[in-house]
Amino acid sequence: MNYTYLYKKLFLLSFFLLFTSIIFAQTTVVSGIVTDASNKQPMPFVTVAFAGTTIGGPTNNDGQFNISTDGAVKQIKVSFLGYKDAFLPIKQGITQVINVRLVPVANQLNEVTVTSGKKPKYRNKDNPAVELIRKVIENKEKNRPESYPYVEYKEYDKMQFSLTNVSPTLADKKFFRKYAFVINNRDSTTVPGKSLLPIFLNEKLSQYYYRKSPEKEKTIVLGDKNVNFGGSIDSEGLGAYFKHMYYKVDIYDNVIFLMTNNFLSPIANSAPTFYKFFITDTIAFKNTKLIELSFTPRNTADMLFVGKLYVTLDGNYAVEKVELNINKNINLNFVNSMRVDQEFEQNPDGRFHLSKSTTLADFGLTKNKKGGMFGIRTITYGNYAVNIPHPDSTYQHQELAESDEVKHKSDEFWKENRLDTLSRAESKVYKNVDSLRNMPSFRRTMDIATLILAGYKGFGGFELGPANTFYSFNPVEGFKLRVGGRTTPELSKRYYFETYGAYGFKDQQFKYFLSATYSLNNKSIYKFPQDYVRVSTQYDTHIPGANLQFVQEDNFLLSFKRGQNDKYLYDRSYNFDYVHEFESHFSYHFSLKRLTQAPAGSLYFLNSVGNDPANVVKDLTTSEVGLSLRYAPKEQFYQGKIYRTPVPSKYPILSLDYTAGLKNVLGSPYGYQNLHVEVDKRFYLSYLGYADVTVEAAKTFGQVPYPLLDIFRANQTYAYDIYSYNLMNFLEFVGDHYASVNIDQHFVGFFFNKVPLLKKLKWREVLSLKAIYGGVSDTNNPSLHPSLYQFPVSSTGQPITYALGKTPYVEGSVGIENIFKFVRVDLVRRFTYLDHPDVSKYGIRARVKFDF
């Protein structure tokens, strides 16, 4: 047999069969109409696909569909939220018409009786709106820009603040006639029903780049234009604060930050638990058919939105448009109303990106008054591109400070590059504010306001203040007068000087402070990233254990203290500091310090040396070198010309401090080391508010007298101090090792909002717990080592300074904040060491805190 011939025949036959099957394969085409089985109405946006494949599409407005395939198929699948899926057999290779009737999931009643009474209870189960929002939640990660390997776009950010409903006759009054050019610049078209008088405007144009792997983002500021009110008003800091209130909204985040509060997003993972959802309409927007999904809070007092989402039904379940309104019933200060509108545009791949975001807020002292302020922040995105890689250099070396060139772009630049337009009134703001700034009457008014509100009086490049330290009193110094001031960046961005002089009429001694700072990066020392050296000297009084992080002891209001308060120190110090911050928000602080401490008032330094059992020590001198490391990832600031305040965030702040005492250096008799570690973090707890948690620990190595140990932070004023123990006496506890935890929980009205009267008052609940555990080792126990300073005792010989035992010091408080919108009052309870002299089990403390 000729096998070669047979193989050729079999090969040709196989090839012929394969070729004919390809040539003569027929297409399967299915068309038809989908209707609701209960009312026979056509159903748009129903998904029709060949079962087991991704081939298919939605029905049109008339419920019609037409799908086709060349593959092997046996069924079509028809599905829509709230209806039972339908599987229907089809014939392969032919064109056919199949009409489909979908049956709702809920059982249908043969008879419906309409009666008055309660509305049907809202349920998530078998609710098509809830099923739709769960699809949006399920797909939200892929709809975020970060799902692309590369993203880039231009961003135009416009922030405007206006006075609202200013009387049109105000400019006719004698006092205001000179300001008529400002008062008459009104806008009555941007916000219907509002007459806006723009007084603040900031524009910023940026280029943004994002790379997913390795993840890196970079923003290049192309232009930044701001009104300039002069030295009395920090326009830059004002703009930074406004933008923090009007934070950028990402609808795909679980939590949306606005007005210093956290709102649960309507597409957060837990949104169906806290929101009610309703399918209210189908619309056409930008040539796309969308489902209108309305939502409202289950509890109207919670930090939630009211509004609408517009969702695509193309399988991506993306948000193409959103309207967010702050519910008028929530516990929010000074905000009459607030709304966020966002629009999205379609990418070439069918997905959507944010194209415009507008946040509007109406502010007022009360909701009934017509006047107030109105803020509008509009962010427009252009030149959006995805999956375009760039060299590594594109994503590196983020510029953290803006150059003068960026801040002085020409009018032609802004006309050519704005991605949005200015209204007629907005276009006049810059010129109007410039004219206003040059008016002597306006400058005088601003100087007076700055002195009252900020405590400083400006004189060009120098400020006198702060005013609240001009006068104070204490048992050691008696009446104390003080005057001081500081230079500002208007004098120099490289050189800064700060000083004060003070005099106590009881101790009849002069005190002083003088510092000189030099910026190494030619940028303000108050701005990120810091890079400066400072030398300073000071001679003043100090309370051992007092916490002075954010206030000065000379503050008049803190002169009022409870209990015995006559143990002071005279501190004379010489300091050298070098501070350097990096782009990553890691920083280090190197310091050299020589300090001489002399007891004052009833405080004394006493040891037993040689044959003298009561040897009085005049003063204690130490020389120290220190290194502090700090890491605060993604930290942001309220940034001003001569201040910066960190903005709390969800990211932890890690600190490590090391101090070494230098024995026999500049008269220091002690050598020792101290190590301190601290972690600070804010935990956002959704509808339960937030908790500020601080955990720290410290250890002193070496033998030292008690003034060089850790004197635990105490507070004998009537002000509530977040960072101190408010029922602990000054100098009550010392230790050479300790660990502590501090929890400050803010419920932002979660419980009070459910009580009608408290809800109307807009009070908010707060809870705190503070505990510290530690002690003094045998090495530093003065009862075991007579050469060490003895712990102080009272005039009757009773101990007043202790080491912690096996029991930690614990105190807690329950309080109410937002009283009159800015006062917090706590009932503080001390739980341990109640047998110590002059201590209280309970105390009432108050704190002033401005918040929204």
Side-chain angles (χ1 to χ4, degrees):
M1 181 178 291
N2 190 338
Y3 291 101
T4 301
Y5 176 77
L6 178 61
Y7 292 150
K8 288 182 179 181
K9 287 289 187 180
L10 291 174
F11 175 78
L12 291 174
L13 179 62
S14 301
F15 178 79
F16 175 77
L17 292 174
L18 177 62
F19 179 78
T20 53
S21 66
I22 294 174
I23 292 298
F24 294 102
Q26 295 182 342
T27 301
T28 303
V29 179
V30 182
S31 61
I33 300 175
V34 179
T35 56
D36 188 319
S38 60
N39 57 24
K40 308 298 189 297
Q41 294 297 314
M43 295 180 61
F45 306 112
V46 176
T47 301
V48 182
F50 292 105
T53 73
T54 58
I55 301 171
T59 58
N60 61 18
N61 278 340
D62 299 320
Q64 299 173 344
F65 69 93
N66 188 302
I67 58 176
S68 62
T69 181
D70 293 331
V73 290
K74 297 180 179 180
Q75 287 180 318
I76 59 169
K77 177 183 177 181
V78 185
S79 58
F80 191 72
L81 291 171
Y83 290 78
K84 295 180 180 178
D85 291 345
F87 292 87
L88 293 92
I90 58 173
K91 295 180 179 180
Q92 185 176 338
I94 66 171
T95 298
Q96 55 211 286
V97 175
I98 298 179
N99 295 322
V100 185
R101 291 191 299 170
L102 286 184
V103 178
V105 173
N107 294 329
Q108 302 300 306
L109 299 177
N110 293 327
E111 181 179 349
V112 177
T113 302
V114 180
T115 60
S116 62
K118 294 182 178 180
K119 295 180 179 179
K121 186 176 180 180
Y122 178 88
R123 296 180 182 275
N124 281 353
K125 186 178 180 181
D126 299 329
N127 186 334
V130 175
E131 292 182 38
L132 177 58
I133 199 63
R134 283 177 174 156
K135 285 289 187 182
V136 175
I137 295 170
E138 179 184 333
N139 288 271
K140 67 180 183 178
E141 289 305 318
K142 78 174 184 180
N143 287 315
R144 306 188 72 157
E146 293 81 5
S147 64
Y148 288 106
Y150 300 92
V151 175
E152 60 185 85
Y153 53 78
K154 276 189 177 180
E155 177 185 292
Y156 171 69
D157 190 345
K158 181 177 70 174
M159 181 79 219
Q160 181 241 96
F161 258 80
S162 301
L163 299 177
T164 58
N165 299 325
V166 176
S167 172
T169 62
L170 184 64
D172 298 330
K173 297 184 178 181
K174 183 177 180 180
F175 180 80
F176 293 101
R177 286 174 188 168
K178 65 181 72 175
Y179 304 117
F181 67 95
V182 175
I183 297 173
N184 293 329
N185 183 38
R186 299 169 182 274
D187 179 357
S188 57
T189 60
T190 300
V191 181
K194 291 283 185 183
S195 174
L196 304 182
L197 195 164
I199 57 172
F200 177 87
L201 185 63
N202 171 252
E203 299 176 272
K204 180 177 285 189
L205 182 68
S206 307
Q207 176 68 43
Y208 174 82
Y209 295 96
Y210 172 80
R211 182 182 65 191
K212 187 172 185 179
S213 182
E215 190 171 34
K216 191 73 175 178
E217 61 180 353
K218 182 178 179 180
T219 300
I220 302 173
V221 178
L222 306 176
D224 191 353
K225 190 173 185 179
N226 205 61
V227 295
N228 181 10
F229 290 99
S232 298
I233 298 179
D234 182 7
S235 302
E236 188 175 347
L238 197 64
Y241 185 75
F242 287 159
K243 288 187 177 181
H244 179 67
M245 293 192 302
Y246 286 69
Y247 211 71
K248 291 182 181 180
V249 174
D250 184 351
I251 191 63
Y252 289 108
D253 278 340
N254 284 329
V255 173
I256 294 173
F257 188 82
L258 284 173
M259 295 296 152
T260 71
N261 288 276
N262 285 283
F263 293 81
L264 189 72
S265 169
I267 58 174
N269 296 339
S270 58
T273 304
F274 300 97
Y275 284 100
K276 295 179 181 179
F277 293 93
F278 307 91
I279 295 176
T280 50
D281 201 357
T282 59
I283 68 167
F285 179 71
K286 294 184 178 180
N287 299 319
T288 305
K289 296 191 183 300
L290 307 170
I291 291 290
E292 181 185 84
L293 191 61
S294 299
F295 53 88
T296 186
R298 291 175 182 261
N299 183 346
T300 57
D302 289 342
M303 288 286 181
L304 302 170
F305 294 106
V306 176
K308 297 178 181 180
L309 294 168
Y310 297 85
V311 181
T312 67
L313 289 179
D314 56 358
N316 289 317
Y317 297 98
V319 176
E320 192 173 353
K321 187 180 179 184
V322 63
E323 298 174 8
L324 303 175
N325 293 277
I326 290 182
N327 178 9
K328 64 180 181 180
N329 295 311
I330 65 174
N331 191 336
L332 201 62
N333 294 330
F334 312 112
V335 181
N336 296 333
S337 64
M338 189 170 189
R339 173 172 172 167
V340 180
D341 293 328
Q342 292 191 324
E343 298 178 6
F344 296 75
E345 289 184 350
Q346 195 167 26
N347 296 332
D349 61 359
R351 286 155 59 185
F352 291 84
H353 71 266
L354 182 62
S355 60
K356 191 171 186 177
S357 178
T358 304
T359 305
L360 307 97
D362 184 8
F363 298 90
L365 292 177
T366 65
K367 292 184 180 295
N368 298 325
K369 290 189 176 182
K370 294 182 179 181
M373 295 191 70
F374 200 94
I376 307 173
R377 185 181 188 184
T378 304
I379 306 176
T380 308
Y381 300 88
N383 299 352
Y384 201 96
V386 299
N387 299 334
I388 301 177
H390 294 283
D392 287 346
S393 59
T394 302
Y395 308 95
Q396 304 297 328
H397 308 299
Q398 172 71 61
E399 282 294 328
L400 301 171
E402 299 172 10
S403 65
D404 288 338
E405 180 185 357
V406 165
K407 296 180 180 180
H408 296 89
K409 292 291 186 180
S410 65
D411 292 341
E412 289 72 21
F413 169 86
W414 288 104
K415 289 178 182 179
E416 294 174 1
N417 290 279
R418 281 189 184 102
L419 301 180
D420 199 358
T421 58
L422 295 181
S423 67
R424 182 190 60 81
E426 286 175 338
S427 64
K428 297 181 179 180
V429 172
Y430 295 119
K431 182 179 179 180
N432 286 350
V433 171
D434 286 343
S435 300
L436 195 65
R437 185 180 70 247
N438 294 321
M439 297 176 65
S441 59
F442 176 78
R443 292 201 301 268
R444 287 194 299 268
T445 303
M446 290 299 99
D447 282 347
I448 295 172
T450 303
L451 180 62
I452 295 174
L453 299 177
Y456 283 91
K457 172 66 173 71
F459 297 93
F462 180 79
E463 288 186 334
L464 180 69
N468 60 359
T469 64
F470 288 166
Y471 165 72
S472 63
F473 60 89
N474 62 67
V476 173
E477 299 172 280
F479 299 128
K480 185 176 183 179
L481 298 181
R482 171 180 148 171
V483 62
R486 61 190 179 186
T487 64
T488 71
E490 292 183 21
L491 180 66
S492 171
K493 287 187 177 181
R494 278 196 178 273
Y495 300 95
Y496 295 86
F497 300 94
E498 186 172 1
T499 185
Y500 71 75
Y503 182 76
F505 285 86
K506 183 175 181 180
D507 65 356
Q508 297 183 352
Q509 291 195 44
F510 286 96
K511 290 86 180 178
Y512 59 84
F513 171 75
L514 177 64
S515 73
T517 307
Y518 179 74
S519 174
L520 297 174
N521 58 5
N522 198 28
K523 298 172 183 177
S524 170
I525 62 170
Y526 302 101
K527 294 188 177 182
F528 183 85
Q530 294 179 333
D531 187 17
Y532 65 81
V533 293
R534 171 180 290 160
V535 292
S536 62
T537 181
Q538 183 178 33
Y539 177 65
D540 210 337
T541 56
H542 170 231
I543 300 176
N547 174 46
L548 302 177
Q549 288 192 8
F550 299 106
V551 296
Q552 294 175 314
E553 183 59 31
D554 289 341
N555 189 315
F556 170 73
L557 295 178
L558 299 184
S559 297
F560 301 93
K561 297 181 175 68
R562 61 177 176 84
Q564 292 294 322
N565 176 43
D566 59 352
K567 294 173 178 61
Y568 277 66
L569 292 169
Y570 286 110
D571 288 350
R572 189 184 303 275
S573 64
Y574 303 91
N575 304 273
F576 171 84
D577 299 274
Y578 172 51
V579 175
H580 187 88
E581 292 180 327
F582 294 89
E583 176 185 335
S584 62
H585 291 273
F586 171 79
S587 64
Y588 65 85
H589 175 191
F590 174 76
S591 63
L592 296 172
K593 181 178 184 179
R594 185 180 187 273
L595 172 66
T596 299
Q597 304 178 69
S602 65
L603 185 64
Y604 54 85
F605 294 163
L606 187 68
N607 63 9
S608 299
V609 179
N611 297 323
D612 188 353
N615 184 36
V616 177
V617 181
K618 179 182 178 182
D619 55 37
L620 171 63
T621 297
T622 55
S623 299
E624 295 179 343
V625 58
L627 179 64
S628 297
L629 308 178
R630 185 176 184 271
Y631 180 52
K634 300 186 179 182
E635 185 175 41
Q636 295 181 328
F637 303 94
Y638 299 124
Q639 184 68 72
K641 289 182 180 178
I642 50 178
Y643 70 89
R644 70 174 195 180
T645 304
V647 176
S649 71
K650 64 181 180 180
Y651 300 101
I653 299 175
L654 311 176
S655 302
L656 175 66
D657 304 303
Y658 172 77
T659 303
L662 306 177
K663 188 174 182 179
N664 299 325
V665 175
L666 299 177
S668 172
Y670 295 101
Y672 53 91
Q673 295 84 40
N674 180 272
L675 190 64
H676 172 261
V677 181
E678 182 175 327
V679 180
D680 298 275
K681 179 171 171 53
R682 172 167 288 187
F683 292 89
Y684 290 102
L685 307 174
S686 187
Y687 55 91
L688 289 177
Y690 63 89
D692 289 324
V693 179
T694 300
V695 178
E696 58 181 319
K699 170 69 175 176
T700 299
F701 303 89
Q703 189 177 71
V704 293
Y706 76 84
L708 301 181
L709 299 178
D710 286 304
I711 302 176
F712 298 162
R713 295 187 296 267
N715 178 26
Q716 287 185 221
T717 73
Y718 295 98
Y720 185 85
D721 191 328
I722 299 294
Y723 305 96
S724 298
Y725 300 96
N726 291 281
L727 291 182
M728 182 186 291
N729 291 335
F730 293 131
L731 204 57
E732 184 178 355
F733 289 101
V734 299
D736 60 8
H737 63 278
Y738 73 88
S740 69
V741 61
N742 184 347
I743 303 172
D744 201 44
Q745 169 68 47
H746 301 256
F747 291 101
V748 294
F750 177 76
F751 299 105
F752 285 176
N753 287 342
K754 298 171 177 60
V755 181
L757 176 60
L758 299 180
K759 177 181 177 181
K760 186 175 182 180
L761 292 172
K762 292 193 173 182
W763 288 354
R764 302 171 185 171
E765 327 83 341
V766 64
L767 181 73
S768 75
L769 177 67
K770 301 176 183 179
I772 184 168
Y773 176 80
V776 175
S777 65
D778 290 344
T779 302
N780 290 305
N781 189 338
S783 64
L784 300 177
H785 300 278
S787 62
L788 295 175
Y789 299 176
Q790 301 302 303
F791 287 164
V793 297
S794 67
S795 59
T796 60
Q798 189 175 15
I800 59 173
T801 299
Y802 304 85
L804 285 173
K806 295 182 179 180
T807 301
Y809 175 88
V810 181
E811 73 175 37
S813 73
V814 292
I816 301 173
E817 57 184 351
N818 207 44
I819 302 172
F820 306 119
K821 300 185 179 181
F822 61 88
V823 175
R824 167 179 171 174
V825 177
D826 282 73
L827 172 63
V828 188
R829 169 74 152 87
R830 175 168 169 161
F831 295 100
T832 56
Y833 299 98
L834 299 176
D835 57 338
H836 287 187
D838 300 321
V839 300
S840 301
K841 188 175 182 179
Y842 292 95
I844 301 292
R845 301 292 180 267
R847 177 180 176 85
V848 175
K849 179 191 176 187
F850 176 84
D851 209 346
F852 283 94

